Amino acid sequence: MERFAKRGVALVAAGLAGTLAIAGCSGQSLEGGSDKAADGQITLKVNFWGDMGLDKLKAAYEKDHPNVKIVLNSGEYNAQHEDLQKKLVAGSGAPDISAVDEGFIVQFRGQSDKFVNLLDKGAASYEPKYLPWKWQQSMSADKKQIGLGTDVGGLAMCYRTDLFKAAGLPTDRESVSKLWPTWDDFIATGKKYVAATDKKFVDSGTNMFNPVLAQQPQGFYDESEALQMDVGPKVAFDVSMKAIEAGLSANLASFQPNWDQGFKKDQFATLACPAWMLGHIQDTAPEQKGKWDIAAIPGGGGNWGGSWWTIPSQGKNTDEAYKFVEWMVQPAQQIEVFKTVGNLPSQPALYKDAAVLDYKKEFMSNAPTGQIFAATAEGLKPQYLGKKNGPTRVAVENVITRVQQGSLKPEAAWPEAVKAAQKAATS
């Protein structure tokens, strides 16, 4: 989420954090479309999920662009992507700007005619500033660029130091990292934690499945779009089943109200953490400041998430939309988002910027998040995710959730997962 200034785009000065006011709004209707009033006032609707650090940026942009009103609409992750697809097919109702996650980017880049080709707006100059694979992931087969990258999701493991201490486990991040070089070691540590506390160790089996899958050479699909369930997905599924059968999972569905309550009620002690997860933890349980820290992820490496800003071509104010997107990906704004919610920029030049490299997240026990996540990003080897990756992932997660809820036995779960994935792949 960074971008160097171009064509006179104004940069927010180094004192940005001191001058930005929180003025966002979220949870609005999924209805999209842009508006331009008779007095020249332009409304840009921006759809995304979670917390992408936009509240602080909104006021600054509106202050410098008094003719533009930014309407922020944060919704549920899957619902936002599903709604975008429906509005693209309908030909109307899409937002002016939509975030698209890596799990859905192949699906949408295959519909490049429904998005503004950002190369037509002058975006080619940004290519050398991005991680090469990040730039290519949003490039269509017909060489249209549908998005500018926001962030990457290099992996670590977040953990509660106070809960670890109560369980008799080490609490400093170096010692904790040594507990689990492998996922089997992680599960063994979890068993010790559960035995000592009678509490659950992880939030969800799905949040075991996703990071393990992200570490595999092969995801759900190969580059011919053939489903490959017996490769990476089988490895990740088996790990999630081991964790559930060992009694480690609090059986909470991610990004749902009971998951948020799980944070507040100390229902789990660890959470697989791509960089963007830090903001969610901080927003959900602000009273836990200083009780979280960050260790290495078992198995090492992997990328989970990371998004792009896209502009549906049906919008009436695509030029103004691009100006806002371009402004959001400038270095000052990207660094501000990193400091606010933890999202790691996808431009490697910023990994060497002192504002990132020297930054320590006070909420996360002063963990050096810039160093931790910059190191993971530079070594990433992303998977090919496939056009149906998003729906397939949801289908498999639903099977894991059934196991957690007790309606499906673990030994019967894999055939059900394969069947669900095959249905998603052909629908």
Side-chain angles (χ1 to χ4, degrees):
M1 307 183 197
E2 342 56 80
R3 222 34 95 259
F4 295 94
K6 125 182 221 296
R7 294 189 294 130
V9 175
L11 285 178
V12 176
L16 176 68
T19 62
L20 296 179
I22 297 178
C25 56
S26 63
Q28 303 183 22
S29 167
L30 287 176
E31 288 302 314
S34 53
D35 298 312
K36 187 170 184 178
D39 60 1
Q41 183 79 12
I42 294 170
T43 298
L44 296 177
K45 298 180 181 180
V46 184
N47 280 14
F48 59 102
W49 56 91
D51 186 351
M52 291 192 173
L54 300 183
D55 287 344
K56 287 189 173 183
L57 301 188
K58 167 184 160 75
Y61 193 82
E62 291 179 336
K63 181 179 179 181
D64 290 342
H65 303 80
N67 66 316
V68 178
K69 178 184 178 182
I70 307 296
V71 176
L72 302 180
N73 177 31
S74 176
E76 195 272 330
Y77 170 83
N78 289 318
Q80 291 286 45
H81 290 96
E82 290 166 2
D83 185 74
L84 176 61
Q85 182 63 73
K86 290 176 183 177
K87 299 297 171 56
L88 293 180
V89 171
S92 65
D96 298 282
I97 300 167
S98 182
V100 172
D101 182 70
E102 67 151 8
F104 291 86
I105 193 64
V106 176
Q107 172 183 334
F108 287 113
R109 80 185 188 197
Q111 304 168 69
S112 61
D113 60 312
K114 294 179 172 61
F115 293 91
V116 172
N117 178 8
L118 302 187
L119 298 178
D120 293 340
K121 303 291 186 183
S125 63
Y126 289 117
E127 179 176 2
K129 300 180 175 96
Y130 275 105
L131 291 163
W133 58 266
K134 184 73 175 182
W135 177 264
Q136 289 300 322
Q137 280 188 321
S138 53
M139 182 75 75
S140 69
D142 55 355
K143 302 301 179 185
K144 294 178 181 177
Q145 181 53 268
I146 71 162
L148 287 181
T150 61
D151 62 314
V152 293
L155 283 167
M157 182 66 73
C158 294
Y159 65 98
R160 285 280 299 274
T161 55
D162 56 332
L163 300 183
F164 269 47
K165 183 177 181 180
L169 295 171
T171 59
D172 67 281
R173 63 184 68 101
E174 184 176 349
S175 297
V176 171
S177 296
K178 291 179 180 178
L179 291 174
W180 51 55
T182 69
W183 285 103
D184 283 343
D185 293 324
F186 180 79
I187 291 171
T189 302
K191 290 179 179 178
K192 294 177 183 177
Y193 176 85
V194 172
T197 65
D198 200 30
K199 294 181 178 181
K200 302 302 182 181
F201 191 56
V202 300
D203 61 322
S204 172
T206 61
N207 283 347
M208 293 281 287
F209 175 81
N210 283 308
V212 177
L213 180 61
Q215 293 177 339
Q216 306 308 308
Q218 178 72 64
F220 284 117
Y221 294 91
D222 63 22
E223 294 194 25
S224 71
E225 298 296 337
L227 185 64
Q228 299 289 332
M229 287 296 286
D230 288 329
V231 192
K234 182 65 163 65
V235 173
F237 196 88
D238 287 348
V239 171
S240 69
M241 290 299 106
K242 285 181 183 178
I244 293 170
E245 290 185 281
L248 307 190
S249 175
N251 303 340
L252 302 173
S254 299
F255 300 105
Q256 299 298 322
N258 65 341
W259 189 56
D260 289 344
Q261 287 301 312
F263 282 94
K264 298 174 182 179
K265 295 180 179 180
D266 302 341
Q267 290 182 294
F268 52 89
T270 62
L271 178 67
C273 268
W276 49 262
M277 188 69 79
L278 305 186
H280 186 84
I281 297 172
Q282 182 173 308
D283 290 346
T284 303
E287 69 281 359
Q288 293 173 3
K289 178 180 178 180
K291 295 182 178 180
W292 286 91
D293 207 332
I294 307 173
I297 190 82
N303 184 74
W304 180 13
S307 305
W308 290 259
W309 292 120
T310 69
I311 303 173
S313 56
Q314 62 186 245
K316 298 181 179 67
N317 293 305
T318 57
D319 286 343
E320 289 296 333
Y322 181 70
K323 289 177 184 177
F324 183 52
V325 167
E326 190 176 34
W327 180 85
M328 285 194 291
V329 299
Q330 302 304 316
Q333 283 74 265
Q334 292 291 283
I335 290 171
E336 182 65 22
V337 170
F338 169 73
K339 290 181 175 180
T340 302
V341 296
N343 292 8
L344 184 71
S346 46
Q347 290 187 58
L350 291 185
Y351 304 158
K352 299 176 176 61
D353 191 305
V356 172
L357 200 57
D358 297 340
Y359 182 71
K360 294 182 179 181
K361 189 74 171 176
E362 184 179 3
F363 184 89
M364 306 295 293
S365 303
N366 288 313
T369 53
Q371 295 178 26
I372 290 170
F373 289 109
T376 65
E378 290 187 298
L380 285 177
K381 295 180 180 179
Q383 295 171 351
Y384 178 77
L385 296 179
K387 294 178 181 178
K388 296 292 185 71
N389 183 84
T392 305
R393 178 187 53 77
V394 173
V396 175
E397 284 183 347
N398 288 342
V399 173
I400 295 172
T401 298
R402 289 169 57 196
V403 175
Q404 292 185 143
Q405 294 173 342
S407 63
L408 181 65
K409 294 185 180 299
E411 58 269 23
W414 178 243
E416 288 295 310
V418 172
K419 184 164 59 176
Q422 290 171 338
K423 182 178 180 180
T426 55
S427 62

